[in-house]
Amino acid sequence: LDTLARLVDGQLSGDGSIRVSGAAPLYEVRPGVISLLDGAALPTAADLRQLAALVVSEDDPAIACAKLIVSDPRAAFAQIVEYFLPRRGTAGRTPTSLATIDGSATIGPDCQVSPGVVIGPHARIGARCRLMPGVVIMDHSEIGDDCTLFPNVTLYERTRLGRRVTIHAGAVLGAYGFGYQFNGGQHHRTAQLGHVVVEDDVELGACVTIDRGTYGSTRIGTGTKIDNQVMIGHNCQIGRHNLICSQVGIAGSCRTGDHVVLAGQVGLKDHIALGDGAIVGAQSGVMEDLPGHQIYLGSPATTQREQMQIMAIQRRLPELRRSVKTLEKNLQQTAAEPRVNVSVERPAPMSDERAA
Amino acid sequence: LDTLARLVDGQLSGDGSIRVSGAAPLYEVRPGVISLLDGAALPTAADLRQLAALVVSEDDPAIACAKLIVSDPRAAFAQIVEYFLPRRGTAGRTPTSLATIDGSATIGPDCQVSPGVVIGPHARIGARCRLMPGVVIMDHSEIGDDCTLFPNVTLYERTRLGRRVTIHAGAVLGAYGFGYQFNGGQHHRTAQLGHVVVEDDVELGACVTIDRGTYGSTRIGTGTKIDNQVMIGHNCQIGRHNLICSQVGIAGSCRTGDHVVLAGQVGLKDHIALGDGAIVGAQSGVMEDLPGHQIYLGSPATTQREQMQIMAIQRRLPELRRSVKTLEKNLQQTAAEPRVNVSVERPAPMSDERAA
Amino acid sequence: LDTLARLVDGQLSGDGSIRVSGAAPLYEVRPGVISLLDGAALPTAADLRQLAALVVSEDDPAIACAKLIVSDPRAAFAQIVEYFLPRRGTAGRTPTSLATIDGSATIGPDCQVSPGVVIGPHARIGARCRLMPGVVIMDHSEIGDDCTLFPNVTLYERTRLGRRVTIHAGAVLGAYGFGYQFNGGQHHRTAQLGHVVVEDDVELGACVTIDRGTYGSTRIGTGTKIDNQVMIGHNCQIGRHNLICSQVGIAGSCRTGDHVVLAGQVGLKDHIALGDGAIVGAQSGVMEDLPGHQIYLGSPATTQREQMQIMAIQRRLPELRRSVKTLEKNLQQTAAEPRVNVSVERPAPMSDERAA
């Protein structure tokens, strides 16, 4: 524990000579591990019996175990987890003799090209890139410095990646857009001559697919992060520093501003524009342009405020319907009861009676 | 037909000397084939003219063709289909010289390692595993006995598979979770130090993606079956014997109990817990913890009972609105008609008349 | 510009000696490029300062730049974009010595088999096919003439492709259907003995997954186009010339007629039948058979007409609720006011008064 305290420059509350067997989050405590208290959950009594120590931001005496007190517990715990991880070894640093690199391609210094990689004619790879097994880079593609492509990523021809781009396994950049002309009962593929441009510091998740532009680019702006299984259609121009969560689908020719957030399973119709800082909630369907700096929900998506009201009423629709039924019954009763025009007639016999 | 009757130990109703050319389901009948009657559909007259025989559970004299009567028609028909299938041949049993296996990796007995497979340092593969072409197993991953990995599957470092795990083509286990910190206008990747654990007898569909835990595991419990294109976020703890249908998306840190069923395209918000035996209907969006042993629907998901009522009213919203309009009109008319305070005035002149 | 005018057989309005540096859509104008006016947007003043020329269908004098007037601007512009593209080079035409082709497989003339391709026993490939790096074709599969399989596509055993089929990167055909029997607390895989049939002129997007039939085929009809990340379940029989947009999920045993259109993220329950020419709007969920030649929306999907009414009212639910609240208040007030049955009583004392 002393060693770990020195590693993360933390203050120790407890016995520094405790031997720590590993690091694990609270949901997987094993005997002797150090864990993290980050507000999400508290250790159970059973956990406390097993834990060697906890990384915390302040010393809570109510939690009975050794503690490592630091200003940023998550960062410190990450360092500790890394300390216990097995060393990566030399994975993939195998000879490039099992990769297929076209003679006209250029590869920058200190690249790692794994077996099974195929690099097409006139491709250009920057410095310090890692191309993992099964990566296919088609002709005339260009990759900036310090990019990492995980296994089985495919870049179609003329794809352009900036610097420090990370692409996870199975992603596909540059497939043909879904554009057809209907003619004589059949669909005929239209021009698919464009390419995909991914700017600096972008991260793309596993099995993401981004289609090429029709004539020009489909573009992902600087710093944008895209989660697994997202689909981005042809000609889209995605802004900078967006967060696009898993399974979002963006149809062709959409544009997003900077700092846009799309939650999981959101869909955008084609040719939609979203303003800077627009946030769209999970499973929403965007059917029209939406201005920035607002939260949107629903399908079709409108402002969160409006949608929350609608959803609240939707949940109480049975109640609303009962109210209407009650109103109808009450009004019918009122109608069945003697009404004014009746009372105008009535006095006559009454006065007759009196007259009698 | 006699041969097939012996194969499935069935009772024959018809001419055993009929020559059967193959086996096909009822929707693809060709001349001379044997087909299956499993309740879904009946053969047409045209089918009956082509069929050599039908596998049935009881002899219905109204269906005029030879019959093979068995207690479990589906199982018997499966045996017959298999009888007609071409032999698999020796696919993939090619020399491992075209695979790349790190010297520090260990491979159990009777494994089939196809060409194009890449196995990283310190990986451990159990006995009788089939690793198909393009499979990439990164460093320190561990695979139990009798696992099958179909083509182009990627396991990131430290992935752990139990025994008898089947993973279909293109699946990706262990990509980084979608976790970022926003700082200075940019998103910075947080710790991605965990791994994926898949327990015994799990089956994962094509293009499934399961992200690694932040510090510890993302876990798929024993016997759980996951369909194609499902996304499971970082830190999720999926229970045992779940059924997760196609295109479901589960955000980070969710937990499901045992025997949970999620139908197609369901979404779960992050940090959701579902109880044992919870069933969530197609396209639902789960926004809060849900207890087990109930059926849920809708987005946001509530109990099926509640949601069925809501949906029924939603379909009749135009009717409800018309009712309200009618009520408004009626009430307005009532207001326009002579009302009580008027009738209180009226009697006076009437009595005047009488008085007159 | 003169050269381009001759290339597309266009009429020139402006100076033919202008040097054109490239071609780009209006959203990516750079100095010296030729662009396209196709109705979607007009060039800005800044664009006009940079543009060398515009391809147009008629000469609009209000747009101040050189113009190339043609009858089909998109087709002409496609030709021009292609003129400026780098030549493809010889990508993938590398020796097949790095591919693994089983001795019992047959490959037609003029095929391009890239490195990393694996072809199993008894597979048959037609003429002029392009199999890109990482493509895996398992045993007994058959591919017609002129097919293109992009990188890392997987065909399971006995898959059959017609002629001129295009399959984009990462797609998986023939994985096991999601069929299990529940027995003793566990799910047991049922028969998965069928295969996938793809007819002529079909195009399948990146990361599409199509599961094999249970006993027979899952079939995609002639001319059907399927976008990225679509999932098609076991036994489905998809009709001819369908358009299936991105992220659609079709559960097992569905049938679609000819010329069906499914927009993005649509889901179909299992065993659904859609008639010829049925169109289903984005994010809809189809829960019952739907006749053809109509547009459907919503989840559960009903006719567009019905759904548009429902959606319009849904957006105004708060208004509807306010109406009901107002009605309730008014009716209560009416009830509080002297009412008819009161007025029937009143005359008595009045007449008493008069009597008095």
Side-chain angles (χ1 to χ4, degrees), chain C residues 14-80:
Chain C
D15 175 7
S17 71
I18 293 174
R19 207 182 138 69
V20 181
S21 65
L26 272 181
Y27 63 83
E28 316 195 279
V29 166
R30 301 182 308 272
V33 299
I34 186 166
S35 192
L36 169 69
L37 193 71
D38 67 348
L42 287 173
T44 63
D47 289 342
L48 288 172
R49 277 193 296 277
Q50 299 195 73
L51 280 172
L54 269 177
V55 179
V56 297
S57 60
E58 45 189 56
D59 190 359
D60 178 352
I63 299 174
C65 80
K67 273 157 252 164
L68 232 169
I69 303 144
V70 294
S71 57
D72 185 345
R74 285 174 192 231
F77 189 62
Q79 264 185 287
I80 292 169

Side-chain angles (χ1 to χ4, degrees), chain A residues 160 194-199 202 210-222 224 226 231-244 250-260 262 268-277 289, chain C residues 24-30 41:
Chain A
R160 295 209 308 260
H195 56 282
V196 171
V197 175
V198 174
E199 297 180 351
V202 166
I210 305 176
D211 282 351
R212 61 175 61 186
T214 306
Y215 309 111
S217 74
T218 302
R219 182 178 301 266
I220 312 297
T222 299
T224 285
I226 299 183
M231 157 64 184
I232 296 184
H234 57 287
N235 300 329
C236 284
Q237 305 287 308
I238 303 299
R240 290 174 297 172
H241 308 296
N242 286 13
L243 282 184
I244 303 183
I250 305 185
S253 302
C254 289
R255 286 158 175 275
T256 67
D258 295 342
H259 296 109
V260 166
L262 306 179
L268 267 68
K269 204 174 79 90
D270 56 301
H271 289 89
I272 292 293
L274 295 183
D276 290 347
D289 292 358
Chain C
L26 272 181
Y27 63 83
E28 316 195 279
V29 166
R30 301 182 308 272

